[in-house]
Amino acid sequence: MTDQLDLRDPAFVPDPYPALAAAREEAPVLWHEGLGVWVTTTHAAANDVLRDRRLGRILRPRSDGDDAWTTFDWLHADSILDSEPPKHTRLRRLVAGAFGRGHVTRLRPRVEQIAAGLLDDVERILDRDGRVDVIAAYAEPLPVLVICELLGTPTADWKVLRDWSQAIVRMYEVDPVPEAQRDAQRACDEFASYVEALAAERADVPGDDLLTSLVQERDGGDRLSPRELVATVVLLLNAGHEASVNGFGNGLASLLAEAEQLDTVLRGLDDAAAVDRLVEEMLRHDSPLHLFERTATTDVDLHGVTVEKGQKVAALLGAANRDPAVFADPDRFVADRDPNPHLAFGAGIHFCLGAPLARMELQTSTRALLGRLGPLEVVGAARRPTFVLRGYERLIVARSRPAT
Ligand code: HEM
């Protein structure tokens, strides 16, 4: 039993790691009284939860007679993330097929262009004000613009897509307030209508984008239902956005706190393998997604406890990624850590489908920012008050002054 982890406590969110470490000392799997779920504290236990097929993603519909939740419910029920085999296997194969057709490789030069365009503004602000918020000016627009490019949605729509996706993901936090619930319902209705209209356009006039590939899957033998198509596009926009913004912001803040390592990183930006290792450590050290739940379909013995049929268990990814049994000196950011078997992208059948895209995006954007601006330091920051999606509201940086 743990009462140390009050995931709703605003004092816990800024630095949850000491409390997670203390909980790990207690046991690998603990009962969380406040949430009424089991939580994992170690890498091995989180990994087992994500891979054990007796622990499934089982969705409880929210509607229960309330029509306002209808779209929210089917957007989730018909998405890959919230389905289980055999439906999950079919959806994942179809989407992976459409995703795999060269779309990520095709995008790398475009990501470089998008990053360079945004950096023009970032540099202008930095020169004018001496400081710049890299979340607003860089980290936030970049993944939405990239996902628009991938899917083939008009780039001019990125702000409205960002707003819908932010409204929906607020529902994944512990205890969303009524206003957040209404915003999420509205966002789901508007988002679904938007995707339906765009899919109709692509059916008439195909492009060379992912949306066209998905429309062809839908229309070529009914292998993807109309709702599954919309749910997939909405999931890709949500998943492809929030975690990437936070992965970049959290990771950059961790790196900039290490002046000596930053110096080495700046000198090694041409070494692709070094940048790959840097990005893995950015994702491990302060992971952007902290909690994923499963429900037991039968009694499951898990690291000394029994998760009874119907009970939920949450894999805590941030705790897993600081487990000293797997990572030497786990609280320290080590830019060239290798190997780095972090769980930031999950594990098992739901392992992040967008990981190759997310990695390419983070490598490209990190290299572009550091290459253009050189040494930076954090001069102001505000954390988002949320635990599950961990990130910065603002991360203000300035050019570092040379040491005297
Ligand atoms: C740093 C960025 C990202 C992180 C840390 C991340 C993390 C994750 C994690 C932990 C899961 C597993 C959830 C679970 O087990 O319940 C997941 C699933 C998924 N992610 Fe990502 N993700 C990122 C970026 C992306 C991007 C860019 C896309 C696509 C454009 C994407 C698409 C997906 C999809 C479709 C799934 C569901 C896969 C399935 O259920 O089979 N993600 N992601």
Side-chain angles (χ1 to χ4, degrees), residues 326-342:
V326 177
F327 304 100
D329 207 355
D331 293 329
R332 196 159 168 256
F333 182 88
V334 181
D336 61 353
R337 192 182 285 276
D338 188 29
N340 195 342
H342 64 74

Side-chain angles (χ1 to χ4, degrees), residues 69-130:
W69 286 112
T70 306
T71 315
F72 183 94
D73 277 348
W74 69 253
L75 276 180
H76 287 82
D78 278 330
S79 88
I80 323 170
L81 187 59
D82 276 300
S83 57
E84 284 289 297
K87 182 173 172 174
H88 175 267
T89 320
R90 176 176 59 84
L91 286 177
R92 179 136 181 151
R93 198 180 304 126
L94 286 174
V95 180
F99 217 86
R101 266 176 232 136
H103 290 299
V104 173
T105 322
R106 172 175 75 82
L107 271 180
R108 191 183 278 270
R110 270 300 289 147
V111 178
E112 281 166 2
Q113 265 176 15
I114 292 171
L118 291 169
L119 282 172
D120 289 343
D121 280 343
V122 169
E123 220 176 359
R124 236 192 320 273
I125 301 171
L126 200 53
D127 289 342
R128 187 191 62 205
D129 302 341

Side-chain angles (χ1 to χ4, degrees), residues 50 57 80-81 88 92 99 147 235-236 239-240 243-244 283 288-289 292 294 317 344-346 349-354 357-358 362:
L50 296 173
R57 280 200 78 117
I80 323 170
L81 187 59
H88 175 267
R92 179 136 181 151
F99 217 86
I147 201 85
L235 171 66
L236 290 177
S244 305
L283 289 166
L289 297 172
F292 283 96
R294 299 291 190 263
L317 304 188
F345 288 118
I349 67 165
H350 291 285
F351 179 82
C352 179
L353 193 56
L357 175 64
L362 285 170

Side-chain angles (χ1 to χ4, degrees), residues 151-163:
L151 280 163
T153 54
T155 41
D157 294 349
W158 80 266
K159 281 193 179 144
V160 64
L161 294 169
R162 177 203 57 190
D163 291 348

Side-chain angles (χ1 to χ4, degrees), residues 133-397:
D133 177 4
V134 281
I135 299 294
Y138 192 60
E140 203 165 76
L142 191 124
V144 202
L145 289 168
V146 172
I147 201 85
C148 286
E149 187 80 27
L150 174 81
L151 280 163
T153 54
T155 41
D157 294 349
W158 80 266
K159 281 193 179 144
V160 64
L161 294 169
R162 177 203 57 190
D163 291 348
W164 286 332
S165 112
Q166 283 182 343
I168 295 171
V169 300
R170 248 172 249 134
M171 290 302 296
Y172 308 150
E173 293 301 331
V174 183
D175 277 351
V177 297
E179 193 194 343
Q181 300 190 20
R182 280 191 298 277
D183 287 349
Q185 291 164 345
R186 198 175 326 115
C188 284
D189 288 333
E190 291 173 4
F191 209 158
S193 309
Y194 172 92
V195 176
E196 277 158 7
L198 211 58
E201 277 178 32
R202 286 301 182 285
D204 287 344
V205 186
D208 67 348
D209 47 58
L210 182 60
L211 181 56
T212 302
S213 302
L214 292 171
V215 167
Q216 286 162 354
E217 299 288 3
R218 180 192 66 184
D219 298 342
D222 281 345
R223 287 169 304 176
L224 193 63
S225 77
R227 281 189 169 182
E228 286 167 353
L229 176 123
V230 176
T232 300
V233 173
V234 169
L235 171 66
L236 290 177
L237 276 158
N238 288 346
H241 170 217
E242 296 294 337
S244 305
V245 177
N246 294 336
F248 179 86
N250 294 356
L252 185 69
S254 292
L255 169 64
L256 297 186
E258 302 288 337
E260 262 172 46
Q261 291 191 59
L262 175 63
D263 210 42
T264 315
V265 165
L266 287 170
R267 279 187 271 112
L269 286 177
D270 289 336
D271 177 353
V275 176
D276 293 357
R277 287 194 296 274
L278 167 68
V279 163
E280 298 309 305
E281 182 67 348
M282 287 165 69
L283 289 166
R284 180 201 73 85
H285 185 256
D286 197 12
S287 304
L289 297 172
H290 267 240
L291 179 153
F292 283 96
E293 265 180 10
R294 299 291 190 263
T295 307
T297 55
T298 181
D299 287 1
V300 176
D301 291 334
L302 190 71
H303 294 258
V305 307
T306 301
V307 181
E308 289 171 19
K309 182 177 176 180
Q311 282 186 331
K312 288 185 171 186
V313 53
L316 296 189
L317 304 188
N321 290 340
R322 296 277 187 115
D323 185 344
V326 177
F327 304 100
D329 207 355
D331 293 329
R332 196 159 168 256
F333 182 88
V334 181
D336 61 353
R337 192 182 285 276
D338 188 29
N340 195 342
H342 64 74
L343 295 179
F345 288 118
I349 67 165
H350 291 285
F351 179 82
C352 179
L353 193 56
L357 175 64
R359 287 186 156 124
M360 182 271 276
E361 218 174 276
L362 285 170
Q363 290 154 6
T364 309
S365 57
T366 304
R367 184 197 276 130
L369 178 105
L370 295 176
R372 177 86 77 97
L373 303 179
L376 299 170
E377 61 189 24
V378 175
V379 291
R383 273 268 174 210
R384 293 196 169 149
T386 49
F387 170 70
V388 179
L389 276 88
R390 175 169 175 75
Y392 284 97
E393 197 77 55
R394 287 187 299 284
L395 185 66
I396 321 266
V397 303

